[in-house]
Amino acid sequence: MGRRLDKTMIQKGVEIPNTFRMKVKADCFVEYDSEKALTDIDFDALPKPLFHIGSGSNLLFTGDFHGTILHSGIKSVDTSSAADGVVEATVGSGVVFDDLCEWAACQGLWGLENLSHIPGEVGASAVQNIGAYGVEVKDIISAVRCFDIRERKFVEFSVEDCAYGYRDSAFKHRPAKERYIVTAVKFRLSTQARPRLDYGHLRSAVEAVCVKNSGRRDSEPVNLDELTPALVRQVVTEIRKGKLPEPAEIGSAGSFFKNPVVDKSVFEEILKSRQEEFGADASVPHYPAGEDQVKIPAAWLIEQCGWKGRIHKGAAVYEKQPLVIINHSGHALPSDILELESLIIDSVRSRFGIILRPEVDHL
């Protein structure tokens, strides 16, 4: 077999791939397929600013990008075993994240199954700290390998160095944002069963599939020791497909807003007001988020303000999941999305006194 050539592709004035399906162009688009190809790039000669994307799944381009968009085509997966059933997978930043979840599940490796069917690529997952169903990707990452543009060398950051927070990391902020390019992510997976099912209705959905597959009656207990990461992945994928639009069919950037974390006193005021309006049995969905703090689902807040399914120009709030703003017409302008975002924020702030923050990056 011949040696694979390291390649870099540089294009001028091309359309930027993005799941919102916005018709926007970059002055320059650069894609590389290896670390060696990345080191060969003359960054000083590229139009500024530089911005690195995955599949464009968590982005709203507010217009043409007057600079350089970079994209990784590094698709390697290397594994090594450690003690106590731990398997470390070093994964190229250009690997599709859901492909990695599928691979891990097929190998019987635990850790990534709750994050199944999240769009995007591995490098972007580590930058964004993606999460779903009680798991954040930082829970599975052990290190992130990057190219230092300034020093022109590769460095490795421990998960502690990445300064992870809710949908946040050091890589989303200066100076790291402008200095480092993620080339690989190291994940700590496990051969030992470690299901995490206590977020939302995931446990009941998994139990229902177990009952169906085994032929038990609903009244019979389910032995969760029989679970596999593939089964949990199957359930998570079905749930997500049932309430989120497929990017190939409807343009969106996935969850548009972060779930707000508020003081417990703010939550109690909202609950009190709701019970006064609807009776003592009325409730407000919430999750503990640290000492004296509560996370309230943004989707619930948006739906209570009457936005579910509403259309604004070429944009709309998705009828199955109000956390998602979609390119309803297929030809929505960035301004359509921005106007709808602003209307939703103003509405939630007016009714609940809570300011929603976008999860989607705006460029």
Side-chain angles (χ1 to χ4, degrees):
M1 179 182 291
R3 183 175 66 85
R4 182 184 61 79
L5 296 177
D6 300 294
K7 295 180 180 179
T8 302
M9 178 184 68
I10 300 178
Q11 296 177 289
K12 304 290 185 180
V14 299
E15 198 166 291
I16 307 169
N18 67 97
T19 59
F20 242 130
R21 294 160 72 176
M22 292 290 156
K23 303 298 183 182
V24 289
K25 293 183 177 181
D27 290 350
C28 184
F29 184 86
V30 178
E31 184 174 58
Y32 54 91
D33 67 358
S34 68
E35 289 189 345
K36 171 62 170 60
L38 179 60
T39 62
D40 290 339
I41 296 172
D42 183 358
F43 290 96
D44 292 334
L46 296 176
K48 305 297 187 298
L50 308 177
F51 190 82
H52 205 291
I53 67 170
S55 61
S57 61
N58 197 56
L59 296 170
L60 172 62
F61 285 94
T62 58
D64 289 341
F65 186 79
H66 298 296
T68 300
I69 295 292
L70 295 127
H71 180 256
S72 170
I74 302 175
K75 298 185 181 298
S76 55
V77 179
D78 299 301
T79 60
S80 61
S81 298
D84 300 323
V86 171
V87 174
E88 185 168 78
T90 302
V91 185
S93 53
V95 171
V96 174
F97 187 80
D98 193 52
D99 288 350
L100 175 65
C101 294
E102 180 180 29
W103 169 84
C106 290
Q107 297 296 314
L109 298 174
W110 291 88
L112 292 167
E113 58 282 347
N114 286 37
L115 304 179
S116 293
H117 208 61
I118 295 178
E121 296 174 359
V122 164
S125 76
V127 172
Q128 178 70 7
N129 187 24
I130 61 173
Y133 299 101
V135 176
E136 292 180 317
V137 77
K138 71 174 179 60
D139 303 331
I140 308 116
I141 290 175
S142 61
V144 178
R145 180 173 168 84
C146 298
F147 180 65
D148 183 337
I149 296 175
R150 184 186 304 171
E151 299 294 332
R152 298 197 66 82
K153 66 179 183 180
F154 290 95
V155 294
E156 188 168 290
F157 295 96
S158 69
V159 70
E160 292 78 17
D161 294 333
C162 295
Y164 281 120
Y166 176 52
R167 304 297 180 268
D168 197 20
S169 74
F171 305 114
K172 296 189 72 173
H173 306 280
R174 294 187 178 95
K177 178 180 180 180
E178 298 173 344
R179 181 171 177 177
Y180 300 109
I181 294 175
V182 176
T183 60
V185 182
K186 293 184 177 180
F187 297 93
R188 288 177 61 86
L189 308 175
S190 177
T191 60
Q192 299 179 8
R194 295 175 180 173
R196 297 180 64 173
L197 307 175
D198 294 328
Y199 193 92
H201 65 287
L202 181 57
R203 180 178 295 274
S204 60
V206 168
E207 289 177 346
V209 172
C210 288
V211 168
K212 180 180 177 181
N213 290 349
S214 66
R216 294 185 181 91
R217 295 189 301 272
D218 288 346
S219 58
E220 293 182 279
V222 173
N223 182 3
L224 294 182
D225 292 338
E226 299 174 7
L227 285 183
T228 65
L231 188 146
V232 177
R233 169 178 161 76
Q234 171 196 335
V235 173
V236 169
T237 299
E238 289 175 354
I239 293 173
R240 290 183 65 86
K241 284 184 174 181
K243 66 179 184 178
L244 297 172
E246 291 294 320
E249 300 171 4
I250 302 174
S252 84
S255 298
F256 196 92
F257 296 101
K258 297 178 181 179
N259 291 319
V261 175
V262 301
D263 290 340
K264 191 174 181 180
S265 60
V266 173
F267 164 75
E268 290 172 345
E269 280 297 316
I270 293 173
L271 178 62
K272 178 182 177 183
S273 176
R274 186 162 177 79
Q275 289 178 339
E276 287 174 352
E277 184 175 358
F278 297 103
D281 292 334
S283 62
V284 174
H286 64 284
Y287 304 93
E291 187 174 354
D292 294 325
Q293 290 194 308
V294 172
K295 181 186 292 185
I296 302 175
W300 184 85
L301 296 169
I302 295 166
E303 185 170 1
Q304 295 306 304
C305 291
W307 283 103
K308 188 175 182 180
R310 284 178 59 180
I311 298 170
H312 176 78
K313 297 183 178 178
V317 177
Y318 192 49
E319 69 273 11
K320 295 181 180 180
Q321 170 52 275
L323 193 56
V324 177
I325 293 177
I326 62 172
N327 182 346
H328 175 72
S329 67
H331 306 285
L333 301 174
S335 59
D336 297 344
I337 308 296
L338 291 169
E339 289 173 13
L340 181 53
E341 172 191 4
S342 181
L343 289 168
I344 292 169
I345 290 173
D346 290 346
S347 181
V348 170
R349 177 171 48 199
S350 176
R351 178 163 180 179
F352 295 104
I354 293 174
I355 299 176
L356 293 182
R357 307 290 183 187
E359 178 178 327
V360 172
D361 290 328
H362 294 47
L363 291 180

